[in-house]
Coordinates of all heavy atoms in Angstrom, one line a residue:
W576 N -44.7 -71.0 26.5 CA -45.3 -71.6 25.3 C -45.1 -70.6 24.2 O -45.6 -69.4 24.3 CB -46.7 -71.9 25.5 CG -47.4 -72.4 24.3 CD1 -48.2 -71.7 23.4 CD2 -47.4 -73.7 23.8 NE1 -48.7 -72.5 22.4 CE2 -48.2 -73.8 22.7 CE3 -46.9 -74.9 24.3 CZ2 -48.4 -74.9 21.9 CZ3 -47.1 -76.1 23.6 CH2 -47.8 -76.1 22.4
C577 N -44.4 -70.9 23.1 CA -44.2 -70.1 22.0 C -45.3 -70.4 21.0 O -45.4 -71.5 20.4 CB -42.8 -70.3 21.4 SG -42.5 -69.3 19.9
R578 N -46.1 -69.4 20.7 CA -47.2 -69.5 19.7 C -46.7 -69.8 18.3 O -47.4 -70.4 17.5 CB -48.2 -68.3 19.8 CG -48.8 -68.1 21.2 CD -49.8 -67.0 21.2 NE -50.3 -66.7 22.5 CZ -51.1 -65.7 22.8 NH1 -51.6 -64.9 21.8 NH2 -51.5 -65.5 24.0
R579 N -45.6 -69.2 18.0 CA -45.0 -69.4 16.6 C -44.5 -70.9 16.4 O -44.8 -71.5 15.4 CB -43.9 -68.4 16.4 CG -43.3 -68.6 15.0 CD -42.2 -67.5 14.8 NE -41.0 -68.1 14.5 CZ -39.9 -67.4 14.1 NH1 -40.0 -66.1 14.0 NH2 -38.8 -68.0 13.8
A580 N -43.8 -71.4 17.4 CA -43.2 -72.7 17.3 C -44.3 -73.8 17.8 O -44.1 -75.0 17.5 CB -42.0 -72.8 18.2
E581 N -45.3 -73.3 18.5 CA -46.3 -74.2 19.0 C -45.7 -75.3 19.9 O -45.9 -76.5 19.8 CB -47.2 -74.9 17.9 CG -48.0 -73.9 17.1 CD -48.9 -74.6 16.1 OE1 -48.7 -75.8 15.8 OE2 -49.9 -73.9 15.7
A582 N -44.8 -74.8 20.8 CA -44.1 -75.7 21.7 C -43.5 -74.9 22.8 O -43.4 -73.6 22.7 CB -42.9 -76.4 20.9
V583 N -43.1 -75.6 23.9 CA -42.4 -74.9 25.0 C -41.0 -74.6 24.6 O -40.3 -75.4 24.1 CB -42.5 -75.8 26.3 CG1 -41.7 -75.1 27.4 CG2 -43.9 -76.0 26.7
R584 N -40.6 -73.3 24.9 CA -39.2 -72.9 24.5 C -38.6 -72.1 25.7 O -39.3 -71.6 26.5 CB -39.2 -72.0 23.3 CG -39.6 -72.7 22.0 CD -38.5 -73.6 21.5 NE -38.8 -74.1 20.2 CZ -39.4 -75.3 20.0 NH1 -39.7 -76.1 21.1 NH2 -39.6 -75.8 18.8
L585 N -37.3 -72.2 25.8 CA -36.5 -71.4 26.7 C -36.0 -70.1 26.0 O -35.3 -70.3 25.0 CB -35.4 -72.2 27.3 CG -35.7 -73.2 28.5 CD1 -34.5 -74.0 28.8 CD2 -36.1 -72.4 29.7
F586 N -36.2 -69.0 26.6 CA -35.7 -67.7 26.1 C -34.7 -67.1 27.1 O -35.1 -66.8 28.2 CB -36.8 -66.8 25.7 CG -37.8 -67.3 24.7 CD1 -39.0 -67.9 25.2 CD2 -37.5 -67.3 23.4 CE1 -39.9 -68.4 24.2 CE2 -38.4 -67.8 22.5 CZ -39.6 -68.4 22.9
R587 N -33.5 -66.9 26.7 CA -32.5 -66.2 27.6 C -32.8 -64.7 27.7 O -33.0 -64.0 26.7 CB -31.1 -66.4 27.0 CG -30.2 -67.1 28.0 CD -28.9 -67.4 27.3 NE -28.0 -66.3 27.2 CZ -26.7 -66.4 26.8 NH1 -26.2 -67.5 26.5 NH2 -26.0 -65.3 26.6
A588 N -32.9 -64.2 28.9 CA -33.3 -62.9 29.1 C -32.4 -61.9 28.4 O -32.8 -60.9 27.9 CB -33.4 -62.6 30.6
D589 N -31.1 -62.1 28.4 CA -30.1 -61.2 27.8 C -30.1 -61.2 26.3 O -29.4 -60.4 25.6 CB -28.7 -61.4 28.4 CG -28.2 -62.7 28.1 OD1 -28.9 -63.6 27.6 OD2 -27.0 -63.0 28.3
R590 N -30.9 -62.1 25.7 CA -31.1 -62.1 24.2 C -32.4 -61.6 23.8 O -32.8 -61.7 22.6 CB -30.9 -63.6 23.7 CG -29.4 -64.0 23.8 CD -29.2 -65.4 23.3 NE -27.8 -65.8 23.4 CZ -27.4 -67.1 23.2 NH1 -28.2 -68.0 23.0 NH2 -26.1 -67.3 23.3
I591 N -33.2 -61.1 24.7 CA -34.5 -60.5 24.4 C -34.3 -59.0 24.2 O -33.9 -58.3 25.1 CB -35.5 -60.7 25.5 CG1 -35.8 -62.2 25.7 CG2 -36.8 -60.0 25.2 CD1 -36.8 -62.6 26.8
D592 N -34.4 -58.6 23.0 CA -34.1 -57.2 22.6 C -35.2 -56.2 23.0 O -34.9 -55.1 23.4 CB -33.8 -57.0 21.1 CG -32.5 -57.8 20.7 OD1 -31.6 -57.9 21.5 OD2 -32.5 -58.3 19.6
A593 N -36.4 -56.7 23.0 CA -37.6 -55.9 23.4 C -38.7 -56.8 24.0 O -38.8 -57.9 23.5 CB -38.1 -55.1 22.2
V594 N -39.4 -56.3 24.9 CA -40.5 -57.1 25.5 C -41.7 -56.1 25.8 O -41.5 -55.0 26.3 CB -40.0 -57.8 26.8 CG1 -39.5 -56.8 27.8 CG2 -41.2 -58.6 27.4
A595 N -42.9 -56.6 25.5 CA -44.1 -55.8 25.7 C -45.1 -56.7 26.3 O -45.4 -57.8 25.7 CB -44.6 -55.1 24.4
E596 N -45.7 -56.3 27.4 CA -46.8 -57.1 28.0 C -48.1 -56.8 27.3 O -48.5 -55.7 27.1 CB -46.9 -56.7 29.5 CG -47.9 -57.6 30.2 CD -47.9 -57.4 31.7 OE1 -46.8 -57.4 32.3 OE2 -49.0 -57.1 32.3
L597 N -48.8 -57.9 26.9 CA -50.0 -57.8 26.1 C -51.2 -57.7 27.1 O -51.2 -58.1 28.2 CB -50.2 -59.0 25.2 CG -49.1 -59.2 24.2 CD1 -49.4 -60.4 23.3 CD2 -48.9 -58.0 23.3
D598 N -52.3 -57.1 26.6 CA -53.5 -56.9 27.4 C -54.4 -58.2 27.2 O -55.5 -58.1 26.9 CB -54.3 -55.7 26.9 CG -55.4 -55.4 27.8 OD1 -55.4 -55.8 29.0 OD2 -56.4 -54.7 27.4
E599 N -53.7 -59.3 27.5 CA -54.5 -60.6 27.4 C -53.8 -61.6 28.4 O -52.5 -61.5 28.5 CB -54.5 -61.1 26.0 CG -53.2 -61.4 25.4 CD -53.3 -62.0 24.0 OE1 -53.4 -63.2 23.9 OE2 -53.3 -61.2 23.0
P600 N -54.5 -62.5 28.9 CA -53.8 -63.5 29.8 C -53.0 -64.5 29.1 O -53.3 -64.8 27.9 CB -55.0 -64.1 30.5 CG -56.2 -64.0 29.5 CD -55.9 -62.7 28.8
A601 N -52.0 -65.0 29.8 CA -51.2 -66.1 29.2 C -52.1 -67.4 29.1 O -52.8 -67.7 30.1 CB -50.0 -66.4 30.0
V602 N -52.1 -68.0 28.0 CA -52.9 -69.2 27.8 C -52.0 -70.4 27.4 O -51.5 -70.4 26.3 CB -54.0 -69.1 26.7 CG1 -54.8 -70.3 26.6 CG2 -54.9 -67.9 27.1
V603 N -51.7 -71.2 28.4 CA -50.7 -72.3 28.2 C -51.5 -73.6 27.9 O -52.4 -74.0 28.7 CB -49.8 -72.5 29.4 CG1 -48.9 -73.7 29.1 CG2 -49.1 -71.2 29.7
P604 N -51.3 -74.2 26.7 CA -52.1 -75.5 26.4 C -51.8 -76.6 27.4 O -50.7 -76.6 28.0 CB -51.5 -75.8 25.0 CG -50.9 -74.6 24.5 CD -50.4 -73.8 25.6
P605 N -52.8 -77.5 27.6 CA -52.6 -78.5 28.6 C -51.4 -79.5 28.3 O -50.9 -80.1 29.2 CB -53.9 -79.3 28.5 CG -54.8 -78.7 27.5 CD -54.1 -77.5 26.9
Q606 N -51.0 -79.6 27.0 CA -49.9 -80.5 26.7 C -48.6 -79.9 26.9 O -47.5 -80.5 26.8 CB -50.0 -80.9 25.2 CG -49.7 -79.8 24.2 CD -50.9 -79.0 23.8 OE1 -51.9 -79.0 24.5 NE2 -50.9 -78.4 22.6
A607 N -48.5 -78.6 27.3 CA -47.2 -77.9 27.6 C -46.6 -78.5 28.8 O -47.2 -78.5 29.9 CB -47.4 -76.4 27.7
R608 N -45.3 -78.9 28.8 CA -44.6 -79.4 29.9 C -43.3 -78.7 30.1 O -42.6 -78.5 29.1 CB -44.4 -80.9 29.7 CG -45.6 -81.8 29.7 CD -46.3 -81.8 31.1 NE -47.4 -82.6 31.2 CZ -48.7 -82.2 30.9 NH1 -48.9 -81.0 30.6 NH2 -49.7 -83.1 30.9
P609 N -42.9 -78.3 31.3 CA -41.6 -77.7 31.5 C -40.5 -78.6 31.2 O -40.6 -79.8 31.2 CB -41.6 -77.3 33.0 CG -43.0 -77.4 33.4 CD -43.7 -78.4 32.5
H610 N -39.3 -78.1 30.8 CA -38.2 -78.9 30.4 C -37.5 -79.4 31.7 O -37.5 -78.7 32.7 CB -37.1 -78.0 29.6 CG -37.6 -77.7 28.3 ND1 -38.3 -76.5 28.0 CD2 -37.4 -78.3 27.1 CE1 -38.6 -76.4 26.7 NE2 -38.0 -77.5 26.1
D611 N -36.9 -80.5 31.6 CA -36.0 -81.0 32.6 C -34.6 -80.5 32.4 O -33.9 -80.8 31.5 CB -36.0 -82.6 32.6 CG -35.1 -83.2 33.7 OD1 -34.6 -82.4 34.5 OD2 -34.9 -84.4 33.7
L612 N -34.2 -79.5 33.3 CA -33.0 -78.8 33.2 C -31.9 -79.3 34.1 O -30.9 -78.6 34.5 CB -33.2 -77.3 33.4 CG -34.2 -76.7 32.4 CD1 -34.4 -75.2 32.8 CD2 -33.8 -76.9 31.0
T613 N -32.1 -80.6 34.6 CA -31.1 -81.1 35.6 C -29.7 -81.1 35.0 O -28.7 -80.8 35.7 CB -31.5 -82.6 35.9 OG1 -32.9 -82.6 36.4 CG2 -30.6 -83.1 37.0
D614 N -29.6 -81.4 33.7 CA -28.2 -81.5 33.1 C -27.9 -80.3 32.3 O -27.0 -80.3 31.4 CB -28.2 -82.7 32.2 CG -28.3 -84.0 33.0 OD1 -27.8 -84.1 34.1 OD2 -29.0 -85.0 32.5
G615 N -28.7 -79.1 32.5 CA -28.4 -77.9 31.8 C -29.4 -77.7 30.7 O -30.3 -78.5 30.4
V616 N -29.2 -76.5 30.0 CA -30.2 -76.1 29.0 C -30.0 -77.0 27.7 O -31.0 -77.4 27.2 CB -30.0 -74.6 28.6 CG1 -30.9 -74.2 27.5 CG2 -30.3 -73.7 29.8
F617 N -28.8 -77.2 27.3 CA -28.6 -78.0 26.1 C -28.5 -79.5 26.4 O -27.6 -79.9 27.2 CB -27.3 -77.5 25.3 CG -27.0 -78.3 24.1 CD1 -27.9 -78.2 23.0 CD2 -25.9 -79.1 24.0 CE1 -27.6 -79.0 21.9 CE2 -25.6 -79.8 22.9 CZ -26.5 -79.8 21.8
R618 N -29.3 -80.3 25.8 CA -29.3 -81.7 26.0 C -29.1 -82.4 24.7 O -30.0 -82.5 23.9 CB -30.6 -82.2 26.7 CG -31.0 -81.4 27.9 CD -32.2 -82.0 28.6 NE -32.0 -83.3 29.1 CZ -32.9 -84.1 29.6 NH1 -34.2 -83.7 29.7 NH2 -32.6 -85.3 30.1
P619 N -27.8 -82.9 24.5 CA -27.5 -83.6 23.2 C -28.4 -84.8 23.0 O -28.7 -85.5 23.9 CB -26.1 -83.9 23.4 CG -25.5 -83.1 24.4 CD -26.7 -82.8 25.4
S620 N -28.8 -85.0 21.7 CA -29.6 -86.2 21.4 C -29.1 -86.7 20.1 O -28.5 -86.0 19.2 CB -31.1 -85.8 21.3 OG -31.3 -84.8 20.3
P621 N -29.4 -88.0 19.8 CA -28.8 -88.6 18.6 C -29.3 -88.0 17.3 O -28.7 -88.2 16.2 CB -29.3 -90.1 18.7 CG -29.5 -90.3 20.2 CD -30.0 -89.0 20.7
D622 N -30.4 -87.3 17.3 CA -30.9 -86.7 16.1 C -30.3 -85.4 15.7 O -30.5 -84.9 14.6 CB -32.4 -86.5 16.2 CG -32.8 -85.6 17.3 OD1 -32.2 -85.7 18.4 OD2 -33.7 -84.7 17.1
L623 N -29.4 -84.9 16.6 CA -28.7 -83.6 16.3 C -27.4 -83.9 15.5 O -26.8 -85.0 15.6 CB -28.3 -82.9 17.6 CG -29.5 -82.3 18.4 CD1 -29.0 -81.7 19.7 CD2 -30.3 -81.3 17.6
P624 N -26.9 -83.0 14.7 CA -25.7 -83.2 13.9 C -24.5 -83.5 14.9 O -24.3 -82.8 15.9 CB -25.5 -81.9 13.2 CG -26.9 -81.2 13.1 CD -27.5 -81.6 14.4
L625 N -23.6 -84.4 14.4 CA -22.4 -84.7 15.2 C -21.2 -84.2 14.4 O -21.1 -84.4 13.2 CB -22.3 -86.2 15.3 CG -21.0 -86.7 16.1 CD1 -21.1 -86.3 17.5 CD2 -20.8 -88.2 15.9
I626 N -20.4 -83.4 15.0 CA -19.2 -82.8 14.4 C -18.0 -83.3 15.1 O -18.0 -83.6 16.3 CB -19.2 -81.3 14.4 CG1 -19.0 -80.7 15.8 CG2 -20.5 -80.7 13.8 CD1 -18.8 -79.2 15.8
T627 N -16.9 -83.5 14.3 CA -15.6 -83.9 14.9 C -14.6 -82.9 14.5 O -14.4 -82.5 13.3 CB -15.2 -85.3 14.3 OG1 -16.2 -86.3 14.6 CG2 -13.9 -85.7 14.9
L628 N -13.8 -82.4 15.5 CA -12.8 -81.4 15.3 C -11.4 -82.0 15.8 O -11.4 -82.8 16.7 CB -13.1 -80.2 16.1 CG -14.5 -79.5 16.0 CD1 -14.7 -78.4 16.9 CD2 -14.7 -79.1 14.5
R629 N -10.4 -81.5 15.2 CA -9.0 -81.7 15.7 C -8.6 -80.4 16.3 O -8.5 -79.4 15.7 CB -8.1 -82.1 14.5 CG -6.7 -82.5 15.0 CD -5.8 -82.9 13.8 NE -6.1 -84.2 13.3 CZ -6.7 -84.4 12.1 NH1 -7.0 -83.4 11.3 NH2 -7.0 -85.6 11.7
I630 N -8.3 -80.5 17.6 CA -8.0 -79.3 18.3 C -6.6 -79.4 18.9 O -6.1 -80.5 19.2 CB -9.0 -79.0 19.5 CG1 -8.9 -80.1 20.5 CG2 -10.4 -78.9 18.9 CD1 -9.8 -79.9 21.7
G631 N -6.0 -78.2 19.2 CA -4.7 -78.1 19.8 C -4.8 -77.9 21.3 O -5.9 -77.9 21.8
R632 N -3.7 -77.8 22.0 CA -3.7 -77.6 23.4 C -4.5 -76.4 23.9 O -5.2 -76.4 24.9 CB -2.3 -77.5 23.9 CG -2.2 -77.3 25.5 CD -0.7 -77.2 25.9 NE 0.0 -78.4 25.6 CZ 0.0 -79.5 26.5 NH1 -0.6 -79.4 27.6 NH2 0.7 -80.5 26.2

Side-chain angles (χ1 to χ4, degrees):
W576 175 263
C577 177
R578 298 184 186 178
R579 181 176 122 172
E581 296 186 343
V583 175
R584 293 288 186 265
L585 278 171
F586 300 98
R587 239 174 73 174
D589 60 351
R590 290 180 178 168
I591 297 178
D592 296 329
V594 56
E596 186 172 309
L597 302 181
D598 189 21
E599 61 179 274
V602 180
V603 180
Q606 70 269 25
R608 294 289 182 272
H610 291 88
D611 179 6
L612 302 177
T613 305
D614 298 323
V616 174
F617 178 66
R618 304 185 68 185
S620 60
D622 60 317
L623 293 177
L625 180 69
I626 68 171
T627 300
L628 309 175
R629 182 179 290 111
I630 64 174
R632 180 180 294 274

